[in-house]
Amino acid sequence: MTAHTAQTASRLPLIALTALAPLSWGTTYAVTTEFLPADRPLFTGLVRALPAGLLLLAISRRLPSGVWWWKASVLGALNIGAFFPLLFLSAYRLPGGMAAVVGSVGPLFVAGLATVLLGERPTVRTLLTGIAAALGVSLIVLKAAGALDPVGLLAALASTASMSTGTVLTKRWGRPAGVGPLALSGWQLTAGGLLIAPVAFLVEGAPPALDTRAVGGYLYLALANTAVSYWLWFRGIGRLSATQVTFLGPLSPLTAAVVGWAALGQSLTPLQLLGMTIAFGATILGQLQPRSPMPTGRPRRAPRGGARRRASTTV
């Protein structure tokens, strides 16, 4: 076993825990369409984000300080405040499969942004793996594409761009000294939820009446799908490369396809099974870091407080 392979193997537990986040997010479309009130993307984003953020703040008992007030607000806007409403808008207006196709280009977004913001030039393997991931996801959901809604398509594209930018900035800024991923997740979820709240009430009006089924769906989204999942996700961003983390993204549509087959009675064609194999293979390849990064000539700025240094020694 080479040193490069041994390093990847030593990170498998961390990669596996981080992968639980997109696996959970893969259930979002099924929960949204089967349990939640129709046509309430802003309210759904609000209920998913704000309670989870306040819960994590209560557990961590840590508020931002100094420049982290605006940094947490920016990250909260990108990863939560813009991403959630756009995600649910695309889920309501597009077949889940088509929204997943657009989302699958996330690794390519991140590769491009990492060049500008992190000084990391993407390798040929990274680009080809990103294309393979998008191809695999496309094959999985090709059957569900149907007619395209322009608003839903733009929302899906914008949500992918927003989350990709937030992922790279989270990696660039790291965390302030003494602050863990639990607090960082709470800051972002709370900031994003507070950003969504006034827009939700202005655009959608009063909250809808909720039955037991909807309450259960929202509890699942707020706790397992958001509070726990985002803690694992931001923990992974701090300890893995931005490319490694984003290549876990195809696990979300893979999970959505399996849930649709197992719980909603949807069939899987041989072409979809081929796509699942390609997407899963791209996810695995995306975890293999290049032996020697290709610099762009831009200096790479480390986050303040030594967060990056600690991340390299703590798993």
Side-chain angles (χ1 to χ4, degrees):
M1 181 182 293
T2 65
H4 175 68
T5 305
Q7 182 184 21
T8 301
S10 68
R11 289 182 171 268
L12 284 179
L14 174 60
I15 293 171
L17 283 174
T18 308
L20 292 177
L23 288 173
S24 173
W25 298 336
T27 65
T28 302
Y29 290 114
V31 173
T32 300
T33 56
E34 299 296 319
F35 291 87
L36 305 185
D39 299 323
R40 301 301 295 262
L42 292 171
F43 177 77
T44 298
L46 171 62
V47 174
R48 184 183 176 190
L50 191 56
L54 293 175
L55 174 63
L56 295 184
L57 283 182
I59 294 173
S60 65
R61 298 183 180 182
R62 186 71 182 265
L63 292 175
S65 61
V67 297
W68 273 96
W69 280 106
W70 71 263
K71 285 186 177 182
S73 298
V74 170
L75 294 177
L78 291 169
N79 289 323
I80 310 298
F83 176 67
F84 278 10
L86 291 168
L87 173 70
F88 285 111
L89 179 61
S90 66
Y92 282 122
R93 300 186 70 106
L94 289 178
M98 180 51 63
V101 169
V102 179
S104 68
V105 302
L108 298 177
F109 268 91
V110 168
L113 289 169
T115 301
V116 177
L117 298 177
L118 301 180
E120 296 177 355
R121 181 179 300 169
T123 63
V124 173
R125 189 189 71 192
T126 296
L127 296 176
L128 292 179
T129 305
I131 293 171
L135 173 63
V137 173
S138 300
L139 292 177
I140 296 171
V141 299
L142 187 62
K143 182 179 178 182
L148 296 183
D149 180 289
V151 174
L153 190 60
L154 287 174
L157 187 62
S159 70
T160 300
S162 179
M163 184 66 168
S164 298
T165 305
T167 296
V168 175
L169 282 178
T170 301
K171 184 65 180 179
R172 177 183 174 89
W173 288 340
R175 299 192 302 268
V179 173
L182 194 71
L184 182 63
S185 302
W187 297 350
Q188 295 187 52
L189 287 165
T190 302
L194 292 175
L195 181 65
I196 297 170
V199 182
F201 288 112
L202 284 174
V203 174
E204 297 180 351
L210 303 179
D211 56 17
T212 304
R213 194 174 170 85
V215 170
Y218 280 127
L219 282 174
Y220 167 76
L221 288 182
L223 297 177
N225 191 265
T226 302
V228 175
S229 294
Y230 271 89
W231 167 60
L232 292 172
W233 186 251
F234 290 127
R235 178 175 177 267
I237 290 176
R239 302 177 182 185
L240 300 169
S241 72
T243 301
Q244 281 182 298
V245 173
T246 196
F247 268 114
L248 295 173
L251 293 176
S252 182
L254 280 173
T255 304
V258 173
V259 170
W261 168 74
L264 304 180
Q266 298 173 356
S267 61
L268 291 174
T269 66
L271 193 61
Q272 289 174 306
L273 292 173
L274 174 62
M276 293 174 72
T277 302
I278 294 174
F280 186 72
T283 298
I284 298 299
L285 289 176
Q287 303 314 306
L288 302 177
Q289 294 182 341
R291 295 177 185 274
S292 55
M294 299 173 62
T296 61
R298 294 172 56 100
R300 187 170 179 174
R301 188 171 68 185
R304 296 178 182 176
R308 186 174 305 232
R309 183 168 58 255
R310 289 195 311 276
S312 64
T313 59
T314 305
V315 176

